[in-house]
Each structure stands twice: as C-alpha cells, then as structure tokens.
Amino acid sequence: MIKSPLQIARESYSPKLPAALKGSVKIVEGKKTESVADQADIEKLFPNTYGMPVLTFEEGESGATDKAISVGLILSGGQAPGGHNVISGIYDGLKKLNPANKVYGFLGGPGGLVDNNYQELTDDIIDHYRNTGGFDIIGSGRTKLEEVEQFDKGLENCKALGINALVIIGGDDSNTNACVLAEYYKQKDAGVQVIGCPKTIDGDLKNEMIETSFGFDTACKVYSELIGNIQRDANSAKKYWHFIKLMGRSASHIALECALQTQPNITIISEEVEAKSMTLDEVVSDIANKVAARAANGENFGTVLIPEGLVEFIPAMKKLIAELNDLLAHNEEEVNAFETNKEKREYLVEKLSAEMAEVFKSLPNAIANQLMLDRDPHGNVQVSMIETEKLLIDMVKAKLKKMKKAGEYVGKFAAQGHFFGYEGRCAAPSNFDADYCYSLGYTASVLIAEGKTGYMSSVRNLTAPAEKWIAGGVPVTMMMNMERRHGEMKPVIQKALVKLDGAPFKALCAKRDDWALNTKYVYPGPIQYFGPTEVCDLPTKTLVEESK
Amino acid sequence: MIKSPLQIARESYSPKLPAALKGSVKIVEGKKTESVADQADIEKLFPNTYGMPVLTFEEGESGATDKAISVGLILSGGQAPGGHNVISGIYDGLKKLNPANKVYGFLGGPGGLVDNNYQELTDDIIDHYRNTGGFDIIGSGRTKLEEVEQFDKGLENCKALGINALVIIGGDDSNTNACVLAEYYKQKDAGVQVIGCPKTIDGDLKNEMIETSFGFDTACKVYSELIGNIQRDANSAKKYWHFIKLMGRSASHIALECALQTQPNITIISEEVEAKSMTLDEVVSDIANKVAARAANGENFGTVLIPEGLVEFIPAMKKLIAELNDLLAHNEEEVNAFETNKEKREYLVEKLSAEMAEVFKSLPNAIANQLMLDRDPHGNVQVSMIETEKLLIDMVKAKLKKMKKAGEYVGKFAAQGHFFGYEGRCAAPSNFDADYCYSLGYTASVLIAEGKTGYMSSVRNLTAPAEKWIAGGVPVTMMMNMERRHGEMKPVIQKALVKLDGAPFKALCAKRDDWALNTKYVYPGPIQYFGPTEVCDLPTKTLVEESK
C-alpha cells in the first residue's frame, strides 16, 4: 500500500483517552435500569440481560480478569469514519491487560462469524490502520444476525477459536441483534459475551447515555466542507441554486448539523415535513417562495439542503409508494406489457385510489417513471434511487414558471444537483472521531475483561476535553422498545429522529428566515489535524446545542 | 460575515514569496520573443506588443516609478482557488511601492469595466479575504471584452478614475482578450497598461513560461480527497463501481492529476481517446473488460475517472452532435411535432448520414433524449449537460450483460455516479496556491510599476521552495497562434491539452495496467494548512513529473 503523506504523518497520532481509562479502572455500578418503553415485553424477551445497571468507569482498583482472553470483532453495515480506531482501541486495551490476549476480526461483516471467515489481528496490521478511514481492515457486510442457526454456528466458530467475547460495531439494528445474541448466549451459558459499539454517520443511534454515534462528526464535517465550497461558488458566480442531497434515509441529523455549520438558504428537515403533514407540492412551494424572495433582492442563487429520506417522510408520497408497490406486485404482467411509460402511467392512474391518482398525476415524468420501474428484489420501489434533488429542481422550476406568469416572481432560475454520501463515510476520522472511537474501543475491552455482556460501550460528556469524558457501559435493553417490523412486534433500539423540540432544531428555526433571505454562508473548510485546538478539536454543533 | 474557526486561523497566514520579490526588484530583460506559431500573422496583429523580451526579476536596484498609480482589477470567468490572494498580492505590492497607490476592483467580471461598476479596495476589505477561496471579493463574470466599443468605454471609465493599469485575472480566452486590449491601448497611446494573470482550475493555460495556472493545485487536491474517500468506501464495502466525472471540458489535466494522486482502477484521458479515434463503444468495451478482469479475481468494485469533456473528444460523437445541431436547426417544427422521444428519434435516424444514424441508434435512450432536447440559446446541444458518468454506467451495464451471456464475465455490477466541479472551484487555497497566487499578484504590481503592458505575470521553478521561485513577465503574444473560431481565423493563446508524450501521461501509462487489475488506491485526505511541510506544501504530481 502506498500511503499518502497525510496518512504517514497521521499514523503517529495518539488518540486522547478519558482520564479513567489511562490507568487501572474501577467499575461503579448504577441503579437497575428499565427499557425506554414496553418494559414488561422487553423484560420477558431478555430475562438474562434486562435491568442491568449502567456502569461508569473511574480511576481505581480494577477487578478485571488477567486470564488470557480472545475477542472476535465484527463490523456491521455501512462504513463510518473511525471504525479502525474502535478496533485499535479494543486491541490496545486488551493487550495492555494481558499481552497474551488475542483479537480476531471476522471478515466481511456478520457473515464472517457464521461462515468462520476470520483473521487474527496483530501489531503489524493494527499499526497500518491507526487513524485511517474505512472499514477495509476486516471489511464490513450487511448480513443480519437474526436466526438461531446463525447464533449456533457463530458459537461453534467462537469455541473453535477459543473466543470469549464478541464486539459488534454497528448501527441500531446491529446493536439490537447484538443484544439478542448476548441474551441467547447468556441463556445457554455459552461463555461468549457480546458487547456493542454505536456506529453510524446518520446520527440516529443516540439517547441519554449515547450522546452521538461515531462517524457522524467526520462525515458532517466533510459534507460541510463541500457545502461551504459550493456556497462560496454560488456567492461568487451568483447564477446557480445548488440543491444538495445528503445521505441519511431514516433521520435528518446530517442535514441539520451541516445547516448549523454552513448556514445555507434553505434546509429541509424530514421530521418537520412529516409532523406538518406537508405535501410534496407544499415543500416545493416553500422553496419556490424563498427563491422568489431572494430574486426580488436581485439574488438569483442559493443553496438547499435535502435529507436523503425526504420522500418517505411526505405522508402522501409514502402512501403513494405503498399503493404502487401493491399494484405493481399484483399487476406486473399487465404493466410490463405496455410499451411506453405514458401508457403504464395511465393504466396505474386508473387503478390507484382517487387521492393517490391525483398525487401520481402531479409528479414530473422522470420521477413517475422511477416509481414505476426501479424495483428491489422484493418488488418494492427503490426509494434510495429517487433523485430527490432533481425532482425538487424540476418541480421548483415548474412552480416558478407559474409564479412568473402570475407576476409573483421576477428572476432567473438555474440549478445544479449534488448528492453527498460516499464522499464522507470513509474519510479519515477527525480528531474528535479518532479520540471518541479509540475510547469506545478501549471501553469495550474493559467491559469484556469485567465479564460483561449485553452492554454497549458508552463515552459521554463529549463537549468537554477528552480527559473529562465519562466512559462506561449501558445495557442495550435500556434503549429498547417494541416496534412493528415486517408485520411483527419486535424488540428494537429506539431510533433517534430529529426532535422538533430539541435544541439543534430550535437553533435552526431561530435563524432560518434570516439565512433564507440574506446570504449568511459560513465556509468551514476541510478537516484539520495539526492546527490550533479551536480548529482541530471541535465537536459537532448538534452536540454543543444538546449539551447547553 | 460569521467566519469559521479555520478561516480565522488562516487569516494570519503570510504567503511565501520568491526571494527576488522580498526587497527591491531589478528587471532583467531576455531576448526578443516570437509567438509559438504563425509569427507573421501575430506580429501583424500586434505591432506594438509583439516580440517583447521575457522579463526576469532579481534582487537589486529598482527602476520602478514611485509616482502614485491607480490599478483596476478584473476577475474573469469561472472561479479558481487563490483569486483573492492574487488580489492581496497586487494590493500589498502596490502599497509597498507607494502607500498613495490605489486599487479598484471592477465588479462582476469584465462587464464591470464597461459598465463602470467598481469598488475601491482598502485594507479592511483585503484583510477580510486573505487566504480565502472564491471570487466574492469583487465577483466574476463571463462577459467577453472583444469589441472596440467595450475597449473605448473601458478606457473612458479608467480615465475618469485615474486608472493607469488593468490586471485581468482569467483563463486563456481572457488573457487573449487582455492582450488585444493592451495592444489597442498602446496603439492609441491611451496610458493604460494591461497585465494578465493565469487562472483556471482546468490546467490548460500553461506553457514553457507558465508552469501551471493557479487554482489547479487546490481543486485537484479537493477532488483527490473525495476520490480517495470514495475509493476507501469501495474497498471496504466491495460492492460498487464508482464512475466519477471531473470538471474540465477542454482538457483532461484534472483527471490525470487526480489519477496520479489516487491511483484509481481506470482513468479516461480524452486526448488519448481522440488520438486513437476511439468510438464510444470502444471506450465502453475497455471499461467493461477491466470490470470483467477484476470480477474474475472476485473484486466487483472499482473506480473510473472521467473527464467532463469526453463526449466531445470521441470523433463519432462530435460528428453526431454536429449533424444533430444542423438537423434540429433546420427541422425544428417537424421534430417538435412528435409526441414521443421514440418518434423523434426514428425521424432523426432517417435524416442522419448512414454512419451517424448507426451511432445514434446505438445510444441508450437517456442520452439520445438529452441530445434531442437540451439546446442552448444558439440551438446547440448542451454537451455539458450530458451526464457522461451515467451514460457510461448504462452502457457498461449493457455490455457486461452481453459478455455474461457469452461466458466472458462472471460477476455482479452495481455502480454509483458522481460529478465533482463546484466542490473545488472555491475551496480555500492550499499553501501552494496561496503562495503562488500572492506571488503572481505581487509580480503583476512590479510589472505595472515598471510601465509594462501586454505581459502575463509569471512565476516559475514551482517544484522548488517558494524562496527559489523565479518571478517575471512573459509577453502574451509569445503564447499565441492562429486558430479558427466561429469560422474566422483569430489570434489566441494556444490551449495546453494533455500531451501524450508528456511525463505525467507517461507516468499514468506505466502504472495503469497494475492499478486496473490490482487495488492500489492512495488516500490523500483533505488539504492541510498547519502540519509538516511534506503534507502541507506539496506541488501537484503534474508539476513534479514535468520538472523531472
């Protein structure tokens, strides 16, 4: 591997640790915990891991085992900056406890555990990946660990390798599954602990005890760098509106954080669109009105941030997609027999409910075609393929044309679409994520040595300097509630959507009218690793607002 | 303006200057120069500015005027990182010569000169923009200064403000026009000098005396950061091919530089496609074969870099577009009368030459539709609107399907398209561009004080430390030749395409087979401003290869 000069310089960075993790660790047990909702159901499903106390680490006498242990690591789901540092934190923590401790990586995600596809991690390998982005050290994958056969196969493979504990680094679903696995192994007295680590750039795995998931900080900073650059371009050329879609289907934390960092003219928050039961046409009108207001000031340029999942948060679109999925599933042959999209669409309009037929008719061709054509293997519309940024550009353009005729708009509208996602998921971690991830991993190693299972690694107080961060463990059951999934009630970690009464959203609301009309762009620039601390060690605006 | 922490920290950066510019400057005159071609024609068109010597600055006795002078600045065309530093370099240079010197910025590009739209620049304003990206200090524009009426109007406005010299910061066309303006003012003995500065992220304004245009360094580093991040993602998830289009219509320098920085699997160089008279199908086959070769190794992922201008370099496509432009211009009504794209296409196939009809029939619908529909105000196909990255994805997908049937391909192909352009044009300048631009501006101030006109600011020896850079002036006529533009022969600065016998392209060729089959990605990471010099002060690979 040829390393870039930055990678070489960055290899020697020592992530900052909370004070309690620097020496011998004393575990302080809190009170018995309850799940956030549906306590009776959750307790019944997790008789062996429910109600455990929150654990907080302090400097002091350790009760951890010094018997040699072996640990298996799994990276689950989409990449997030800092995954390699979680792994180096676990590795260093375990090796410090006992140099004979072993660390295995299961390759290509949870599937590696089931298929016994693994690699032992050594100093050489770990040193190669310190402070780098990506999950390429052992690869990731999207296999879900949900079936008892998988659990048993995994246990068999762990036993063969002498593995005493698994660490699953993943999002809400993966941590839910980690908890089910922990319960299963504990119930069987299998001798394999399971610890989770909160990963996702989307930022939707958070709660009272998990202030943020790792990777969110770095990904948002990369996107904000690009948004800032585009805004500077918009403000220099003064001729384009830039519609920027940002990754994150199930929540709008990324769009919100990037908005607080860059102060764009318009930011759509899906959770607000849903709460207000807005139609697509209302979303479009709202943008068009702001375009017109700026045009009245002679400013025919601007920026719009769009969360990737928007379409699914618009109640009418959600309903339309559901009806279309049904219709297309039951009338596949008839639909496919038509030669043109126009005929297909006319046929479907006839079959849809009157309300949805109107919605479907109102859509621009390009999007209507996508809704009719791109199906996933289960026959469902692939919502992530919808180019929402282009859909909005087309619809705003059409709306402005009408407004111009009505004398409500005087200006020129030209737009560029962007989608940022893959650009940030594997960026090298910011100092914050490098430190946070390393601390999460180190914390996991302590939880393992203390014999804990069904816990998620937790590092809190994150707006303070790393020295003062609070490390410990949180029972996963504490974050759970019951939700309907594929027609069945399941215990799952409650997903954290953007709270409309939360401080970050309120911070946006307080400023957005000013930002819309006036040009108040901020240009954050690229992530810096070597400069002054006020440049290099900033937490996200979301964390700062939430900790106020 | 709310400044980001990085912006604040970066304000105090002092750009590095060549030794000769630090004190009093002695001008050393070289020999009389000739234009690169068509010497007789160019000399005839530029009787007053042809043949002037190359100027080199050394430390020594200055012959510059200390009489107060006033200078007008113009930013012309697309943004490039470092424009604000050119301006601060000019400003500091002039103020050092005589604090009574004045600097005016014409607003919104060359149009500002004609319309007398200007602002005087002061310490306060300049300090606000040091080391920042964008052209927002005075704005840019695309008005071309080509007509005598514009020249006369500009002169009138200069006279009214007491302006003795103009600095035009732009690409090859803008500098050509600057030279025509210089000649015109000199011929009239108007008392207004004109100096050019070589700007363009595309990197196609370069020659023996201009080693690189400013902004190329920063823009390529931003794109390479993103390409590196995407490659790390590709190599972690191992499930997508990423097709990445890069800005730069008329040359492939950006794609080539980014390839040398990041080592992607496939890099298309338009100049090579043209030289080999490749068809679109051959370009597609070439990619598909590499996809198949990687798939045979179990690697169903990769990266492809695509220069924005590719389609126009494919001889058959260029010819097809020309025929379509003609056909659509002469048959607009008939074509618009058809209701479906299918009918339009069938009609056009009938009318095209047999050869072009075949090419047109072979195109995927999405692109054929773009060629029929999106016209610019002159009735021409808007080539920049063609989503080449998606065109190639669709065509490679279709090709692989055929190869699979023929047993020549075993694998899965899923792809993501990206287009990077606006993300890098207004980035804050790298140390290199901050230093280079400031030096170019400072050099321009010396040329003005020395009474020069028709010169371009030149700073050379750029792979050495800034201290050893060689500053001076190059007669613009020296870079000119005669080219056909809109049916007429015109004197223009020769555009620098990627040379297929040049060192940077050869460096790519030496490695590309290895990079295609094996995964040899490099991850450059974001531009750093405060770290070790080997991270922060690197010139481009293109410069390094060219200076070997």
Side-chain angles (χ1 to χ4, degrees), chain B residues 276-531:
Chain B
K276 292 183 172 171
S277 277
M278 289 174 80
T279 62
L280 186 54
D281 187 63
E282 284 168 335
V283 172
V284 168
S285 291
D286 198 37
I287 300 173
N289 289 335
K290 284 170 180 151
V291 170
R294 285 179 64 79
N297 291 342
E299 306 224 294
N300 290 299
F301 65 92
T303 45
V304 187
L305 302 192
I306 305 158
E308 188 186 10
L310 174 64
V311 166
E312 290 172 289
F313 280 83
I314 296 172
M317 288 297 289
K318 198 172 172 178
K319 208 167 154 190
L320 172 64
I321 289 167
E323 280 197 24
L324 281 175
N325 280 342
D326 253 19
L327 266 179
L328 286 161
H330 294 111
N331 304 276
E332 203 181 340
E333 265 182 50
E334 292 90 325
V335 173
N336 288 342
F338 294 113
E339 210 176 289
T340 67
N341 285 322
K342 204 176 155 223
E343 290 166 308
K344 277 186 200 174
R345 191 162 173 185
E346 280 162 5
Y347 171 86
L348 290 167
V349 163
E350 287 296 315
K351 297 253 173 187
L352 285 165
S353 69
E355 191 194 347
M356 288 305 113
E358 282 312 306
V359 174
F360 195 47
K361 280 196 278 183
S362 75
L363 295 179
N365 285 334
I367 304 302
N369 294 348
Q370 281 184 317
L371 290 180
M372 292 188 296
L373 288 178
D374 290 330
R375 336 286 306 159
D376 70 14
H378 310 290
N380 294 320
V381 170
Q382 287 192 275
V383 182
S384 67
M385 303 284 285
I386 297 178
E387 297 178 305
T388 319
E389 70 283 14
K390 293 201 181 150
L391 165 72
L392 290 178
I393 288 172
D394 288 346
M395 294 185 78
V396 167
K397 199 179 279 177
K399 177 74 68 180
L400 289 170
K401 212 169 162 185
K402 276 190 203 164
M403 289 169 68
K404 193 167 248 177
K405 265 193 187 159
E408 295 158 8
Y409 166 62
V410 185
K412 278 184 201 170
F413 179 74
Q416 301 283 344
H418 309 262
F419 171 38
F420 298 135
Y422 300 99
E423 291 74 3
R425 301 197 317 177
C426 284
S430 61
N431 282 355
F432 175 89
D433 268 328
D435 299 345
Y436 179 48
C437 290
Y438 189 79
S439 299
L440 282 173
Y442 212 98
T443 297
S445 76
V446 174
L447 291 169
I448 292 165
E450 291 281 348
K452 304 298 175 188
T453 192
Y455 274 87
M456 196 185 290
S457 184
S458 159
V459 176
R460 295 177 289 125
N461 197 31
L462 295 171
T463 54
E467 174 82 10
K468 297 188 173 166
W469 288 355
I470 299 163
V474 184
V476 180
T477 52
M478 187 185 172
M479 309 169 194
M480 285 190 163
N481 66 358
M482 300 297 291
E483 289 179 22
R484 183 168 299 277
R485 296 279 170 97
H486 302 293
E488 253 185 283
M489 290 306 284
K490 292 263 189 189
V492 296
I493 295 177
Q494 206 173 37
K495 212 181 253 302
L497 301 183
V498 169
K499 287 186 186 155
L500 302 185
D501 58 356
F505 183 70
K506 280 185 179 168
L508 174 69
C509 291
K511 301 281 191 168
R512 62 181 171 183
D513 290 340
D514 179 29
W515 297 350
L517 202 60
N518 306 304
T519 302
K520 296 282 179 82
Y521 302 149
V522 175
Y523 314 119
I527 292 174
Q528 296 297 302
Y529 298 104
F530 307 101

